[in-house]
Amino acid sequence: MEISGIITAIIFGAVIGALGRLVLPGRQNIGWLWTIAVGIAAALVGTAIAAALGVSDTKGIDWIEWAIQIGLAALGVTALERLRSRS
């Protein structure tokens, strides 16, 4: 993977993670680095799920893929927050 791909993954992960936090009510007590990490993981897994469903490459904006990724990011932020609150 080239440096431009890594930078793109970080930026895309930050956007997906932030959108995942925005759909959740209230304040989440996790940092931005965790948000980016969750966003990157959600983007990768969401893309794989969308590809398996056959909706990853459509004409125009891939709204279904985005919805899957944002939903996974919201789940990831919620899970991470609950794990951290138990400690």
Side-chain angles (χ1 to χ4, degrees):
M1 179 178 259
E2 295 180 13
I3 191 74
S4 62
I6 294 170
I7 292 170
T8 302
I10 291 170
I11 293 169
F12 195 67
V15 170
I16 294 294
L19 290 172
R21 284 180 72 158
L22 283 174
V23 299
L24 294 173
R27 179 178 166 90
Q28 294 80 38
N29 293 321
I30 65 170
W32 282 102
L33 290 177
W34 282 112
T35 300
I36 293 171
V38 167
I40 291 170
L44 293 172
V45 173
T47 299
I49 291 171
L53 295 174
V55 295
S56 65
D57 191 23
T58 60
K59 293 182 182 181
I61 300 173
D62 297 325
W63 293 110
I64 297 171
E65 183 176 2
W66 272 81
I68 293 169
Q69 292 170 338
I70 293 168
L72 288 173
L75 287 173
V77 167
T78 301
L80 183 61
E81 185 179 31
R82 287 187 181 176
L83 284 173
R84 293 191 66 199
S85 68
R86 289 182 183 179
S87 300

